[in-house]
Amino acid sequence: MLIFLLAFPSGAAADQLYDSLMQRLQSGEVVVRSIRDDESGGAARVIALFQTPVERLWGVLLSCELAFSYLKGMTACEILESEPRRNIVNHVIKRPWPLSPMDIVFEAHYTPYSRIDFKLLEGNLDRFDGQWRFVENPEGFILDYEVHVKPAIPAPRLLVRHSIRHRLPDLVACLRALSDGSGSDDQKAQDSERCPKQ
């Protein structure tokens, strides 16, 4: 059963939740939920079905060039250090005025092709960490993405959570289009529409 449902009790209720979730995923929905975080900031978990080999999405996620296609406001991406299972990456992302651009350096650890863990090393966020998990299934794989973000400048927690909950589904849908994981031409067109217009 999916990692996404591990918090639920086992038995018939969990089976019904799993079946309901799979129906939503098979219809093309990107499912998102907030994660409770005691500190200021926000966290969310996103799950989606990709109908393509994991390697295709893996290639998109590890490409600085393609990051400009799915990260809204991206102005710079540079791989500062690269090893077979670890990269240190710099991202610069413009934000609405009057906020200064988000300029962060993070470390990503890779477990091909099941997991990517990332954590903030430096920059103008207080927290940026999470995981990309890839769970194979008969149709391709389930993406289970979790992220925790805390701005360095105090911001209303509700605003941060609202922003995360609304941006992540579009990001994941765009990634699905870029990796040819949408499953149909109609779904790919819908997913492509959710990519940022830069």
Side-chain angles (χ1 to χ4, degrees):
M1 196 164 282
L2 296 175
I3 300 168
F4 191 73
L5 291 174
L6 288 179
F8 292 102
S10 59
D15 291 343
Q16 288 176 343
L17 284 170
Y18 178 81
D19 291 343
S20 172
L21 175 62
M22 286 308 300
Q23 287 175 3
R24 293 169 66 188
L25 296 177
Q26 289 166 340
S27 74
E29 185 177 349
V30 177
V31 178
V32 61
R33 70 181 179 95
S34 290
I35 299 171
R36 287 207 174 270
D37 226 336
D38 293 335
E39 60 187 42
S40 63
R45 199 160 183 181
V46 182
I47 186 168
L49 173 65
F50 281 63
Q51 297 181 54
T52 191
V54 175
E55 292 85 349
R56 287 199 182 169
L57 177 58
W58 194 269
V60 173
L61 289 173
L62 271 62
S63 166
C64 253
E65 182 181 340
L66 290 174
F68 291 86
S69 301
Y70 64 84
L71 286 171
K72 185 174 183 178
M74 173 71 82
T75 61
C77 177
E78 183 181 359
I79 298 173
L80 304 176
E81 290 183 27
S82 181
E83 299 174 11
R85 295 199 172 199
R86 174 185 165 271
N87 280 351
I88 294 180
V89 184
N90 174 225
H91 278 180
V92 181
I93 299 173
K94 65 183 177 184
R95 296 184 289 183
W97 184 88
L99 297 173
S100 61
M102 183 177 76
D103 188 348
I104 59 170
V105 175
F106 63 93
E107 183 175 39
H109 288 269
Y110 309 112
T111 308
Y113 290 96
S114 61
R115 184 177 176 125
I116 299 172
D117 294 277
F118 59 92
K119 66 177 180 179
L120 181 70
L121 294 180
E122 61 183 72
N124 57 0
L125 291 178
D126 276 353
R127 182 177 183 187
F128 176 70
D129 60 75
Q131 305 87 33
W132 299 85
R133 300 180 195 95
F134 313 92
V135 182
E136 291 189 40
N137 85 339
E139 298 173 71
F141 67 93
I142 303 292
L143 171 67
D144 183 358
Y145 172 51
E146 180 178 331
V147 64
H148 299 256
V149 178
K150 182 182 178 186
I153 299 170
R157 189 179 341 187
L158 187 63
L159 183 63
V160 175
R161 289 180 177 175
H162 177 81
S163 175
I164 290 171
R165 281 184 61 87
H166 283 82
R167 292 183 85 163
L168 289 185
D170 288 343
L171 180 146
V172 169
C174 181
L175 284 169
R176 188 163 58 187
L178 292 171
S179 61
D180 292 323
S182 302
S184 71
D185 290 341
D186 286 346
Q187 186 63 56
K188 185 171 184 176
Q190 292 176 43
D191 288 345
S192 296
E193 279 298 309
R194 298 174 76 173
C195 291
K197 310 297 187 280
Q198 309 233 26

